[in-house]
Amino acid sequence: MSYPFSPEFREALTARCAAFPRIVHEGVDLKRAAVVITLVEADDGSGQTAFLLTRRAAQLRAHAGQWALPGGRCDPGETFERAALRELEEELGLTLPPENIMGVLDDYPTRSGYAITPIVAWLDDASHLRLNPQEVASAHRIRVDRICEGDAIQFETIPESASPVIRVRIGEHHIHAPTAALVYQFRELVADRITRVSGLEQPVFAWR
């Protein structure tokens, strides 16, 4: 399939986001966080749609060096949307207008004590991307059609859990949950399918 960075694809995906029956984590047992699946034009000249993925800085206290969507913990009284856009600017220097938010997917509870809310947004111009080296080691544009390939999503079993561990293969790299679970649900939405991911497991190294 082809997913060109075009007004037509944006309109179709916005409609799917608007119709998505989101599941909200209820309760106060988990801290709240938000991430943003930022749709931009691929940087390979293909004209395809991509999303921004980062590699966390090595000096961070938690989950250093792991792959992640831009995002972080919500401040007191802060909406998920505002938190996600604030983190995008802090990490990558990108300002995204609130009206470019297309929708919100399911909350994903993590082993480390968070409920992560993924925001889907469209950014016409990502040329001003500037990494914050305190938080981000590198940033990458991952083409949407790549995560829609048949072997991009992989599941495995581990002795520590009855739930399957999900990972996303991107080239020679493997992205693990929670990021993999959020990317998988987004992939399913692109394909016009509703797939729940809260029951998908993280690898043991991400539990802390």
Side-chain angles (χ1 to χ4, degrees):
M1 291 291 292
S2 177
Y3 304 101
F5 191 69
S6 65
E8 292 77 17
F9 179 57
R10 178 179 182 176
E11 182 179 355
L13 191 56
T14 299
R16 290 172 194 167
C17 287
F20 182 78
R22 161 171 149 75
I23 293 179
V24 178
H25 174 77
E26 301 289 351
V28 295
D29 55 319
L30 297 179
K31 299 180 286 290
R32 308 309 302 233
V35 299
V36 56
I37 301 172
T38 312
L39 301 178
V40 299
E41 186 171 6
D43 56 359
D44 59 1
S46 64
Q48 292 291 301
T49 303
F51 65 94
L52 297 176
L53 191 67
T54 71
R55 200 76 182 257
R56 289 170 60 84
Q59 69 270 20
L60 291 173
R61 290 179 295 175
H63 309 296
Q66 293 183 21
W67 293 96
L69 295 162
R73 188 169 180 174
C74 298
D75 290 337
E78 190 176 36
T79 66
F80 304 126
E81 293 87 350
R82 184 178 295 275
L85 299 190
R86 172 180 55 78
E87 290 284 349
L88 180 67
E89 185 167 13
E90 290 177 3
E91 293 181 15
L92 299 181
L94 294 173
T95 300
L96 198 155
E99 57 268 24
N100 283 32
I101 292 176
M102 305 164 76
V104 185
L105 304 184
D106 288 347
D107 291 343
Y108 180 84
T110 74
R111 289 278 192 171
S112 57
Y114 284 87
I116 302 177
T117 301
I119 309 299
V120 181
W122 189 277
L123 183 59
D124 289 308
D125 181 9
S127 63
H128 298 292
L129 187 149
R130 298 291 183 274
L131 304 187
N132 177 351
Q134 301 302 313
E135 299 189 47
V136 177
S138 59
H140 309 264
R141 301 190 192 200
I142 309 300
R143 280 174 45 172
V144 171
D145 60 347
R146 297 290 188 249
I147 64 169
C148 292
E149 294 174 351
D151 60 349
I153 306 299
Q154 302 172 347
F155 300 94
E156 62 182 355
T157 59
I158 57 174
E160 295 86 354
S161 175
S163 300
V165 172
I166 183 173
R167 62 184 183 182
V168 178
R169 184 187 62 80
I170 299 175
E172 60 185 26
H173 301 287
H174 288 94
I175 315 303
H176 296 90
T179 299
L182 308 181
V183 169
Y184 176 47
Q185 186 169 66
F186 170 71
R187 173 194 113 136
E188 293 292 277
L189 184 65
V190 168
D192 204 15
R193 296 189 293 263
I194 296 172
T195 301
R196 304 304 181 185
V197 297
S198 62
L200 297 177
E201 186 61 90
Q202 303 169 240
V204 174
F205 66 76
W207 287 15
R208 57 190 184 277

